[in-house]
Amino acid sequence: MEYISTRASGSGDAEPLNFEQVTLAGLAGDGGLYVPTHWPKLTSAEIADMAGLPYSEIAVRVMRPFIGDVLTEDELRDLCEQAYGRFAHKAVTPLVQLDGQHWLLELFHGPTLAFKDVALQLLGLLFETFLARQDKHLTVVGATSGDTGSAAIDALAGREKVDIFMLHPDGRISDVQRRQMTTVLAPNVHNIAMDGSFDDAQAMVKRMFADPEVTDRFAISAVNSINWARLMAQIVYYFYAASQLGAPHRKVAFSVPTGNFGDVFAGYVAAQMGLPIERLIVATNVNDILHRALSNGDYSAGTVTATAAPSMDIQISSNFERLLFDLEGRDGAKTAARMKAFEETRDMQIAPEMLAKAASIFSSERVDAESMALAMSQAQEAAGQVIDPHTAIGLSAARSADVDPSVPIVTLATAHPAKFRDAVERATGSRPALPRRIGDLFDREEACDKLPGDYDAVKAFVTSRATPANG
Ligand SMILES: *Cc1c(COP(=O)(O)O)cnc(C)c1O
């Protein structure tokens, strides 16, 4: 399998990359995102054969077409068994029934209590495997509103040939999220609490990726969902859940609490690969750019409102570009022009023909704070399930969506309720306990440097501590 940029224009483009190269690169040099040259297909018989298989085995079968000959099947199986062996539930991502039509897919049994672990545990192992071959040192730089940072640090702590620098907005993440990052004292982990918002931290990171003084010396890579390998690992659980509910003989719908459009895009890829998905419900909070885009074509960025579901407090959804590329007939020049105009004006209107294509699989719902709290208390009363605010937005959207009652709807449960226990307590009156695997998080020592929101200060911090690409 080869990979191209969503902004590739044909002539004069860089050579297509293989899976190993896209995993280490993160973002394409032309500012686009990497996508495979085509969507591989699985036959109905191959999907039927998944029934009853363990998670790691389904992972091998779904991911191997994307990986090509960069890893042997046995190497891939070994990495999947290591990554998913760290999950606290034997089923890795158990499926729980709420009532006749509604199900929850629990994606939060990894080490840091959010679905980001599903992809990042594997990504950490992929980095280590590829770096060992290439004799190269990697510098991961990222900004986090909490969940990506903790999952990436857990996955990369102590690994050879990689340093991780993670910026978070000082004072704006939950105490559990902060401690999951700052109590990891491995020498290759560098936590930075930066003055400013998440958007300021993100802008700082983007500037570093485009700064030749940094990129000429250091091999910089990304761990957020612009990295293709992360999306690839998330395709697996759509197959896993649908297979348990009768795929390929029965259709299934999914409701996905969405921020950067990464998780739900993985569902779109599953459908392109042949999984019979009836509908993908894009659930947003009041930061509703994706709901506006999919319901009336208005992709214009407003300002971010802080909510009880902070991992969805996003105005610009990076992975939406991957869908636009497909909707434009995979025309990189058109996608590049569209994205450049958006970057200047923060506004994009999507034409009716493109919207109609998207509507054949996507629908969307905007869920406000009141409906979110209601979904939390109803899940507890009706099914004895304590759910987190992000999951509650997904479930509320699933209940409002217009889906045939005979089709099961799976809501992705993206975080453990204890990760957002203050918000859960406000909605339901009870405070979820931290699971035992979190251990003595609140007694451990923290290590974190505070920096002003100043590019030169952050750059000097990173370049004086990182190891250059060639050692
Ligand atoms: C990251 C995150 C989301 C949003 O996922 P995207 O891939 O950005 O759409 C939803 N819920 C939780 C708990 C998250 O951490």
Side-chain angles (χ1 to χ4, degrees):
M1 177 65 78
E2 293 191 317
Y3 292 83
I4 49 169
S5 164
T6 51
R7 301 190 193 181
S9 59
S11 60
D13 289 330
E15 291 285 300
L17 303 187
N18 69 18
F19 178 73
E20 177 170 340
Q21 294 165 319
V22 282
T23 300
L24 295 178
L27 193 68
D30 57 14
L33 305 181
Y34 286 115
V35 284
T37 49
H38 63 277
W39 299 122
K41 305 279 180 208
L42 297 181
T43 62
S44 281
E46 285 171 313
I47 298 171
D49 277 349
M50 290 178 185
L53 291 180
Y55 189 92
S56 293
E57 188 55 36
I58 294 182
V60 171
R61 295 178 185 207
V62 171
M63 295 192 292
R64 80 190 153 192
F66 294 105
I67 290 172
D69 55 12
V70 162
L71 293 172
T72 66
E73 193 169 312
D74 284 342
E75 285 170 326
L76 175 60
R77 183 168 294 110
D78 180 52
L79 297 182
C80 289
E81 283 171 1
Q82 278 186 60
Y84 300 118
R86 291 201 62 205
F87 279 60
H89 198 293
K90 284 227 159 50
V92 184
T93 62
L95 188 62
V96 174
Q97 189 161 21
L98 289 178
D99 58 37
Q101 188 178 20
H102 291 274
W103 301 72
L104 289 179
L105 183 63
E106 294 184 350
L107 301 175
F108 52 69
H109 293 281
T112 71
L113 312 182
F115 84 93
K116 308 287 201 287
D117 287 322
V118 178
L120 282 162
Q121 285 294 319
L122 183 70
L123 187 64
L125 296 168
L126 289 170
F127 276 165
E128 190 173 63
T129 307
F130 296 153
L131 289 171
R133 291 178 183 173
Q134 296 208 354
D135 202 19
K136 182 168 155 185
H137 196 100
L138 199 67
T139 302
V140 167
V141 184
T144 184
S145 56
D147 293 337
T148 289
S150 50
I153 286 173
D154 185 278
L156 295 177
R159 294 206 185 277
E160 275 183 49
K161 294 172 136 177
V162 50
D163 274 295
I164 176 165
F165 293 85
M166 191 51 69
L167 280 76
H168 69 262
D170 192 16
R172 300 196 195 192
I173 61 176
S174 82
D175 55 350
V176 175
Q177 288 177 318
R178 188 190 72 249
R179 284 186 160 271
Q180 282 180 328
M181 297 194 282
T182 58
T183 62
V184 179
L185 302 178
N188 69 330
V189 171
H190 310 272
N191 277 292
I192 301 169
M194 206 192 82
D195 281 337
S197 68
F198 167 72
D199 286 338
D200 298 334
Q202 177 78 55
M204 208 65 88
V205 170
K206 286 203 174 137
R207 202 167 149 191
M208 210 170 291
F209 271 80
D211 183 344
E213 286 178 25
V214 179
T215 55
D216 286 352
R217 274 182 68 206
F218 302 97
I220 303 263
S221 187
V223 285
N224 56 358
S225 56
I226 60 173
N227 189 310
W228 166 257
R230 260 191 69 175
L231 296 196
M232 175 192 72
Q234 292 169 209
I235 302 166
V236 174
Y237 46 72
Y238 288 90
F239 278 91
Y240 179 75
S243 162
Q244 288 181 42
L245 293 171
H249 313 296
R250 193 175 174 211
K251 285 193 160 193
V252 179
F254 289 90
S255 177
V256 188
T258 308
N260 234 342
F261 205 71
D263 209 2
V264 72
F265 188 77
Y268 167 82
V269 178
Q272 304 312 303
M273 291 175 76
L275 188 66
I277 294 182
E278 167 78 13
R279 184 139 295 279
L280 291 167
I281 302 157
V282 175
T284 77
N285 61 21
V286 294
N287 297 295
D288 63 351
I289 179 167
L290 287 169
H291 171 59
R292 283 184 281 112
L294 291 167
S295 54
N296 61 30
D298 171 27
Y299 190 82
S300 59
T303 49
V304 176
T305 305
T307 75
S311 302
M312 298 164 67
D313 291 346
I314 286 181
Q315 278 293 344
I316 297 176
S317 298
S318 312
N319 286 293
F320 198 59
E321 178 168 345
R322 287 186 158 114
L323 178 66
L324 288 170
F325 178 67
D326 268 14
L327 296 176
E328 286 280 22
R330 306 203 118 212
D331 184 326
K334 279 191 187 162
T335 309
R338 192 178 260 293
M339 292 311 300
K340 291 207 175 101
F342 174 75
E343 278 155 18
E344 276 161 30
T345 61
R346 291 171 65 84
D347 178 53
M348 179 195 303
Q349 297 304 317
I350 302 169
E353 322 78 80
M354 281 170 76
L355 266 193
K357 268 199 223 170
S360 65
I361 178 144
F362 291 104
S363 63
S364 66
E365 302 284 337
R366 171 191 198 269
V367 178
D368 64 15
E370 202 182 326
S371 305
M372 178 199 73
L374 187 68
M376 271 198 255
S377 54
Q378 277 178 347
Q380 192 159 27
E381 280 156 28
Q385 289 289 324
V386 180
I387 59 174
D388 103 289
H390 304 80
T391 307
I393 286 171
L395 185 58
S396 176
R399 293 200 188 280
S400 325
D402 179 19
V403 175
D404 186 305
S406 69
V407 174
I409 309 181
V410 177
T411 295
L412 302 195
T414 52
H416 191 290
K419 198 157 190 180
F420 298 95
R421 53 206 175 136
D422 295 335
V424 174
E425 188 174 9
R426 276 196 298 276
T428 66
S430 53
R431 191 168 176 80
L434 282 168
R436 294 242 316 265
R437 66 182 185 281
I438 288 301
D440 57 349
L441 188 67
F442 281 84
D443 300 327
R444 276 183 251 151
E445 189 190 331
E446 291 188 74
C448 182
D449 283 277
K450 281 195 182 202
L451 292 181
D454 169 58
Y455 180 68
D456 291 329
V458 175
K459 176 174 163 182
F461 184 93
V462 172
T463 54
S464 64
R465 285 166 181 76
T467 306
N470 304 314

